[in-house]
């Protein structure tokens, strides 16, 4: 997904331009730190105090120049209007968050308001059109049949969460003034890998296959996750 995001950034902005980036639901700060290391000014917003502590610890180990380019705010992604002025950011990330939000439309509208004209909105969501793939590949036929006509599922943490369909999010993004410009599949071939699986010897080949499948029909349509990129009009 990082390669996909970089592709969209490079395609929209001059090489070397320092962008204002907001990472909503940044978790332990993996993407936020990566973009700060690349020279961008990054703000991470996260409501989980444990994740905030982990992100701050990781940031403290970085060189001073990177620490100065990143700030971390503990808060709810639905309250971006409390923390920031409209149009404050060139890039807004919201990765792995929507599945935990019962009503995502207000959150998405708030994220779009944070974007400057021409700004990039990057979403990573569970693919509601492919929920039957994981149980099907595991041979769970009852679970497979139950997954065809729903957008809810139980994740690996045992939580009941929700997925999003590409068609629904496409309409939503158009409605909030950040229409979809590109989309990718993520975890096309690797969704059934165990959480504790080690790094394979052929990691580069695996990534090449995932990257190719993530931008190619029909493979991207059955990916576990969808990476959607909208652009503020």
């Amino acid at each position: 997904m990082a390669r996909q995001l970089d592709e969209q950034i490079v395609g929209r902005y001059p090489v070397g331009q320092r962008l204002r980036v907001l990472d909503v639901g940044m978790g332990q700060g993996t993407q936020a730190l990566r973009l700060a290391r690349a020279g961008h000014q990054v703000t991470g917003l996260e409501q989980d105090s444990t994740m905030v502590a982990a992100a701050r610890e990781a940031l403290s180990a970085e060189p001073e120049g990177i620490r100065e380019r990143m700030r971390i705010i503990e808060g709810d992604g639905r309250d971006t209007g409390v923390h920031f002025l409209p149009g404050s950011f060139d890039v807004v990330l919201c990765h792995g968050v929507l599945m935990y939000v019962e009503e995502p439309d207000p959150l998405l509208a708030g994220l779009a308001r944070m974007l400057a004209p021409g700004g990039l909105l990057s979403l990573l969501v569970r693919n509601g059109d492919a929920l039957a793939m994981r149980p099907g590949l595991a041979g769970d036929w009852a679970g497979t049949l139950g997954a065809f006509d729903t957008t809810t599922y139980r994740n690996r943490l045992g939580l009941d969460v929700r997925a999003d369909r590409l068609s629904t999010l496409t309409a939503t993004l158009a409605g909030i003034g950040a229409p979809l410009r590109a989309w990718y599949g993520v975890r096309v071939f690797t969704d059934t890998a165990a959480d504790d699986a080690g790094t394979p010897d052929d990691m580069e080949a695996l990534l090449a296959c995932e990257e190719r499948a993530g931008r190619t029909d029909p493979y991207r349509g059955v990916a576990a996750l969808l990476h959607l990129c909208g652009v503020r009009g």
Side-chain angles (χ1 to χ4, degrees):
M1 190 194 67
R3 298 183 187 188
Q4 297 164 356
L5 179 60
D6 289 346
E7 177 181 76
Q8 291 300 313
I9 290 175
V10 169
R12 296 206 59 76
Y13 297 102
V15 175
Q17 180 176 341
R18 291 193 172 185
L19 303 174
R20 301 164 297 165
V21 179
L22 173 63
D23 189 352
V24 174
M26 68 168 183
Q28 60 188 3
T30 301
Q31 285 295 328
L33 272 173
R34 189 182 70 83
L35 291 169
R37 291 180 188 124
H40 304 301
Q41 194 73 35
V42 182
T43 299
L45 182 63
E46 173 59 53
Q47 66 175 347
D48 187 293
S49 58
T50 301
M51 291 293 185
V52 169
R56 285 178 173 155
E57 182 178 0
L59 181 60
S60 69
E62 295 290 327
E64 181 180 358
I66 294 174
R67 295 199 306 271
E68 291 175 348
R69 288 198 295 272
M70 183 171 166
R71 62 173 173 159
I72 298 171
I73 298 174
E74 187 169 347
D76 194 312
R78 290 168 290 193
D79 297 330
T80 50
V82 174
H83 300 287
F84 316 110
L85 293 173
S88 296
F89 298 95
D90 304 300
V91 179
V92 173
L93 314 180
C94 186
H95 296 164
V97 174
L98 290 192
M99 55 275 288
Y100 299 104
V101 180
E102 187 173 345
E103 295 292 340
D105 287 7
L107 169 62
L108 291 172
L111 299 183
R113 284 194 292 271
M114 294 302 102
L115 285 170
L120 177 68
L121 176 60
S122 173
L123 306 175
L124 185 70
V125 304
R126 185 71 182 179
N127 184 2
D129 293 318
L131 288 181
M133 291 298 294
R134 181 185 290 175
L137 292 172
D140 175 8
W141 306 123
T144 303
L145 286 171
F148 281 114
D149 300 312
T150 184
T151 54
T152 62
Y153 67 102
R154 179 161 292 183
N155 67 13
R156 288 174 172 172
L157 300 176
L159 301 175
D160 292 322
V161 288
R162 49 175 297 281
D164 289 282
R165 298 189 186 278
L166 177 62
S167 58
T168 302
L169 278 180
T170 299
T172 298
L173 290 173
I176 61 176
L180 183 68
R181 291 294 176 89
W183 69 277
Y184 308 86
V186 176
R187 289 199 340 226
V188 177
F189 302 124
T190 57
D191 187 49
T192 57
D195 291 337
D196 58 354
T199 301
D201 294 336
D202 55 351
M203 187 64 176
E204 283 303 314
L206 183 156
L207 291 174
C209 291
E210 281 284 348
E211 186 175 10
R212 177 71 178 271
R215 64 179 70 246
T216 305
D217 291 323
Y219 305 104
R220 62 178 181 167
V222 296
L225 303 169
L226 297 179
H227 179 198
L228 293 85
C229 299
V231 174
R232 181 71 173 171

